[in-house]
């Protein structure tokens, strides 16, 4: 998709009133200062033309559907009009959103819009606002990551509700960190301000980061762009996250900056707006009340405003039609690509199980040759006679003393219809065996942590899965959305909870991929007394990405 528009979408940690005041202040300063030097006083005096060929409009609404304030700047150019829109929005007790759009509206219907550059206003806003995307701060300058910050940053990378990509810079081994940051990284990421979360790893943090993310490393001056939904446990997922080499950055910094900007800007324009912002109505141009003037002049002004509304609607329709066409092409390419990746991953998982079978045969041979069982079975033996379908999994769960399925069988059986679901069956079964071993350890008193930590520290001989496949809870945005929260509330016996149902935020990622791979939601809060309840095993439930 050829991204022509600049779009920044962030949330503010301040309330709506404070955020709106900061946005208004920064916008006015940006308009009044060089290089624009527009006459802001004209707007206060009742005129929306603040310079020849430049108009500034404002509207705001407070009501049952929420509150918003919006500024729109239009600057006439030789081939069309440059439009800058800033929206501050809040619905009920939800977060305060800030959206900044810059786009070119061509005069000719068949003309291609000019590409928008990152406006200085984006930097001004981020310097004033305490902006964030989920748990991650969105800043105008790269944030320095120390070794003790790495764990929190990895959690941000794995956050399923993150909208923005994360750009992570490393430092060459033979270059001073501060010199590299100020002389190379700062100008490199300037075009992506507001479009990405910006980080630079200190040398000590880089070591810790790469040790934790062996399939998603960045080192020796490279810069990596991490798309939303990083899956650290999946080697093939590393291919989704582009790496830019130190050589390109140092030999051709302008080209490097242009290339680095393409992906975040494309993501920003094709990602659907949050519901709060998408529900803001279109702004319609209206003539501002003039002081004095005849009835004929008033009617002429209103007629001009009506024509402007029609022209605006036609331009909006052309732009949105182009966006929809590009989005359909992009969606088709993404679907083809993700399906192929999942098929490849399925083949890799088959190879892994074949390799484990060979190891098992070698271990048996060692036993026949007189080696001790302890030596032969130092590795965890994979499941024997594993199920070949989700229908079989549901039948065999009933034989597990500490793992109980309380969900809808229909949701799980849907997975058997997937053409690339064979590895999902094996991975789901491995996960259930791990949950069973964990539950037995809890009952016997030998496990003193949650399932994620237990998978990292389990004794030899236990079934485990990668801790990175375990998500302890859903994000705040999922919990705050009543529809999504309700979809993650599953039945349990009343002796487990009096309501006969529970919100199950803890879940496991089954298979590779993000929105395409299944999820297993479970509750282990009463594990010692009642075991673990699996409330859902099926297609990925709705969140901000799906």
């Amino acid at each position: 998709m050829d991204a022509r528009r600049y779009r920044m979408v962030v949330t503010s940690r301040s309330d709506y009133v404070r955020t709106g005041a900061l946005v208004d202040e920064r916008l006015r300063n940006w308009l009044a200062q060089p290089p624009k030097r527009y006459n802001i006083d004209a707007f206060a005096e009742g005129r929306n033309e603040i310079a020849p060929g430049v108009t500034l409009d404002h509207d705001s609404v407070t009501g049952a559907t929420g509150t918003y304030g919006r500024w729109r700047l239009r600057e006439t150019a030789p081939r069309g009009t440059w439009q800058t829109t800033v929206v501050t929005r809040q619905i009920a007790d939800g977060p305060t959103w800030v959206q900044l759009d810059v786009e070119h509206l061509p005069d000719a219907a068949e003309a291609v819009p000019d590409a928008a550059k990152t406006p200085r206003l984006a930097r001004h806003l981020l310097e004033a606002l305490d902006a964030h995307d989920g748990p991650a701060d969105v800043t105008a300058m790269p944030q320095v990551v120390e070794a003790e910050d790495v764990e929190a940053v990895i959690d941000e990378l794995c956050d399923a509700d993150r909208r923005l990509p994360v750009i992570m810079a490393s430092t060459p081994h033979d270059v001073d960190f501060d010199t590299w940051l100020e002389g190379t990284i700062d100008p490199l990421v300037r075009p992506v301000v507001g479009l990405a979360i910006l980080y630079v790893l200190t040398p000590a943090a880089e070591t810790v980061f790469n040790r934790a993310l062996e399939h998603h490393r960045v080192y020796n001056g490279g810069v990596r762009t991490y798309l939303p939904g990083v899956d650290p446990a999946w080697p093939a997922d590393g291919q989704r996250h582009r790496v830019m080499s130190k050589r390109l950055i140092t030999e051709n910094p302008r080209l490097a900056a242009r290339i680095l900007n393409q992906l975040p800007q494309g993501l920003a324009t094709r990602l659907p707006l949050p519901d709060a912002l998408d529900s803001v109505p279109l702004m319609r141009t209206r003539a501002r009340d003039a002081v004095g003037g005849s009835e004929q002049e008033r009617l002429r002004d209103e007629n001009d405003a009506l024509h402007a509304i029609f022209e605006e609607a036609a331009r909006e329709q052309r732009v949105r039609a182009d966006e929809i066409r590009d989005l359909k092409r992009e969606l088709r390419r993404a679907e083809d690509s993700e399906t192929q990746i999942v098929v490849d991953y399925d083949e890799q998982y088959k190879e892994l199980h074949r390799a484990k079978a060979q190891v098992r045969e070698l271990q048996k041979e060692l036993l026949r040759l007189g080696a001790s069982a302890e030596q032969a079975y130092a590795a965890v033996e994979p499941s024997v006679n594993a199920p070949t379908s989700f229908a079989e999994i549901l039948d065999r769960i009933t034989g597990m003393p500490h793992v109980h399925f309380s969900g809808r069988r229909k949701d799980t059986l849907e997975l058997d219809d997937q053409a690339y679901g064979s590895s999902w069956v094996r991975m789901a079964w491995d996960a259930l065996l791990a949950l069973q071993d964990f539950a037995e350890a809890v009952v016997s008193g030998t496990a003193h942590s949650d399932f994620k930590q237990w998978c990292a520290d389990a004794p030899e001989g236990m079934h485990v899965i990668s801790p990175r496949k375990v998500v302890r809870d859903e994000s705040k945005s999922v919990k705050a959305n009543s529809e999504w929260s309700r979809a993650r509330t599953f039945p349990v016996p009343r002796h487990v909870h009096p309501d006969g149902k529970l919100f199950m935020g803890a879940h496991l990622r089954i298979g590779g991929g993000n929105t395409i791979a299944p999820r297993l939601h479970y509750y282990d809060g009463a594990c010692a007394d009642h075991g673990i309840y699996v409330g859902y095993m099926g297609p990925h439930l709705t969140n901000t990405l799906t």
Side-chain angles (χ1 to χ4, degrees):
M1 181 177 181
D2 185 17
R4 318 299 294 178
R5 170 195 293 175
Y6 173 91
R7 168 169 286 172
M8 178 181 82
V9 175
V10 296
T11 49
S12 170
R13 289 191 173 91
S14 301
D15 60 27
Y16 174 81
V17 174
R18 173 64 176 163
T19 301
L22 290 171
V23 169
D24 290 357
E25 177 190 2
R26 290 300 170 127
L27 175 70
R28 290 174 181 272
N29 290 340
W30 175 65
L31 293 173
Q33 293 174 358
K36 294 190 180 297
R37 300 181 185 274
Y38 294 151
N39 180 16
I40 301 302
D41 294 336
F43 186 85
E45 294 167 358
R47 292 175 284 125
N48 64 350
E49 188 173 33
I50 58 176
V54 179
T55 59
L56 179 65
D57 294 290
H58 179 265
D59 68 341
S60 61
V61 169
T62 301
T65 58
T67 304
Y68 74 83
R70 171 170 48 193
W71 291 95
R72 185 181 65 190
L73 174 73
R74 283 185 162 176
E75 301 166 288
T76 303
R79 297 181 55 251
T81 301
W82 283 102
Q83 178 172 287
T84 301
T85 309
V86 188
V87 180
T88 307
R89 172 69 156 157
Q90 185 182 38
I91 294 181
D93 295 327
T96 301
W97 292 91
V98 177
Q99 176 186 350
L100 169 62
D101 278 9
V102 179
E103 59 186 324
H104 179 252
L105 305 175
D107 289 333
E110 68 280 0
V112 176
D114 293 342
K117 295 181 179 179
T118 301
R120 295 185 183 182
L121 180 58
R123 182 176 296 272
H124 295 330
L125 290 175
L126 292 179
E127 288 172 349
L129 299 172
D130 188 3
H132 62 104
D133 174 28
D137 293 333
V138 184
T139 55
M141 302 287 285
Q143 304 169 72
V144 175
V145 179
E146 304 287 354
E148 59 268 23
D149 304 323
V150 168
E151 184 175 354
V153 169
I154 292 176
D155 287 341
E156 292 172 8
L157 291 178
C158 299
D159 180 19
D161 296 311
R162 174 165 58 89
R163 289 176 55 89
L164 302 181
V166 173
I167 293 180
M168 188 77 65
S170 61
T171 308
H173 304 309
D174 56 348
V175 175
D176 176 72
F177 176 77
D178 291 330
T179 302
W180 177 254
L181 173 60
E182 296 173 9
T184 303
I185 299 302
D186 284 348
L188 176 69
V189 301
R190 197 168 291 140
V192 296
V193 168
L195 302 175
I197 299 159
L198 308 176
Y199 286 124
V200 58
L201 294 162
T202 64
E206 183 181 320
T207 301
V208 178
F209 183 86
N210 288 331
R211 188 183 302 128
L213 296 181
E214 58 177 326
H215 307 303
H216 300 74
R217 296 176 179 175
V218 58
Y219 52 88
N220 194 30
V223 173
R224 192 158 194 171
T225 301
Y226 295 92
L227 295 173
V230 172
D231 189 347
W234 187 26
D237 180 65
Q239 300 175 23
R240 294 196 307 122
H241 312 287
R242 300 179 182 178
V243 181
M244 179 173 287
S245 68
K246 168 193 168 186
R247 180 177 179 179
L248 175 61
I249 295 169
T250 55
E251 292 184 358
N252 198 335
R254 287 193 176 184
L255 176 61
R258 190 161 63 249
I259 293 174
L260 189 67
N261 178 60
Q262 289 174 351
L263 181 59
Q265 188 163 10
L267 287 173
T269 55
R270 69 173 177 255
L271 189 65
L273 285 171
D275 291 342
L277 291 170
D278 194 43
S279 61
V280 176
L282 288 176
M283 175 182 275
R284 296 307 185 191
T285 304
R286 293 185 61 86
R288 304 193 74 193
D289 294 336
V291 179
S294 65
E295 179 69 11
Q296 184 177 2
E297 290 174 338
R298 186 185 66 79
L299 291 174
R300 186 187 304 117
D301 289 342
E302 289 187 355
N303 187 57
D304 291 343
L306 185 61
H307 280 294
I309 289 174
F310 289 144
E311 291 176 1
E312 176 185 343
R315 276 192 298 210
E316 287 278 353
Q317 189 175 22
R318 290 197 301 269
V319 171
R320 303 305 165 241
D322 289 343
E323 289 180 350
I324 291 171
R325 184 182 61 252
D326 290 343
L327 280 169
K328 287 180 177 178
R329 291 179 186 149
E330 186 75 17
L331 178 61
R332 181 52 188 249
R333 286 196 295 267
E335 288 174 342
D336 292 344
S337 176
E338 188 163 16
T339 300
Q340 184 58 49
I341 289 174
V342 172
V343 170
D344 292 344
Y345 186 57
D346 185 58
E347 289 301 316
Q348 292 170 8
Y349 205 77
K350 289 177 182 176
E351 289 293 334
L352 174 63
H353 272 256
R354 281 194 287 267
K356 285 184 176 180
Q358 292 174 355
V359 170
R360 191 163 59 250
E361 290 302 317
L362 288 172
Q363 290 170 338
K364 291 178 181 178
E365 182 65 23
L366 285 173
L367 282 175
R368 285 194 290 270
L369 294 174
S372 69
E374 182 178 354
Q375 291 172 323
Y377 287 92
V380 177
E381 182 172 346
S383 54
V384 180
N385 298 324
T388 57
S389 69
F390 281 96
E392 188 177 351
I393 282 181
L394 291 177
D395 291 338
R396 292 176 65 169
I397 286 181
T398 58
M400 292 184 169
H402 302 295
V403 176
H404 316 288
F405 182 75
S406 62
R408 294 199 320 166
R409 292 175 60 91
K410 179 181 177 182
D411 295 328
T412 305
L413 294 176
E414 282 184 22
L415 300 176
D416 280 332
D417 296 331
Q418 299 285 354
Y420 33 72
S422 58
S423 65
W424 292 351
V425 173
R426 288 190 294 272
M427 284 181 273
W429 183 242
D430 290 344
L432 289 167
L433 291 176
L435 285 171
Q436 171 65 22
D437 282 2
F438 168 67
E440 289 183 352
V442 171
V443 171
S444 66
T446 58
H448 306 287
S449 61
D450 63 6
F451 181 58
K452 184 183 182 84
Q453 190 61 43
W454 186 84
C455 283
D457 304 328
E460 290 187 0
M462 297 291 101
H463 294 94
V464 295
I465 61 174
S466 167
R468 292 292 177 188
K469 291 286 187 185
V470 184
V471 181
R472 289 188 170 107
D473 200 1
E474 289 287 8
S475 65
K476 291 181 180 178
S477 58
V478 168
K479 291 180 178 179
N481 186 302
S482 59
E483 182 180 350
W484 297 350
S485 178
R486 195 161 47 247
R488 290 159 173 79
T489 300
F490 306 109
V492 293
R494 292 193 179 275
H495 65 263
V496 175
H497 195 278
D499 292 341
K501 58 184 178 180
L502 278 170
F503 174 79
M504 298 187 187
H507 61 275
L508 311 179
R509 299 187 181 103
I510 303 300
N514 297 304
T515 61
I516 195 173
R519 296 294 187 264
L520 184 155
H521 287 256
Y522 67 95
Y523 172 70
D524 62 354
C527 182
D529 297 324
H530 305 298
I532 294 174
Y533 279 84
V534 176
Y536 179 84
M537 183 163 49
H540 196 305
L541 296 169
T542 303
N543 65 9
T544 54
L545 292 180
T546 57

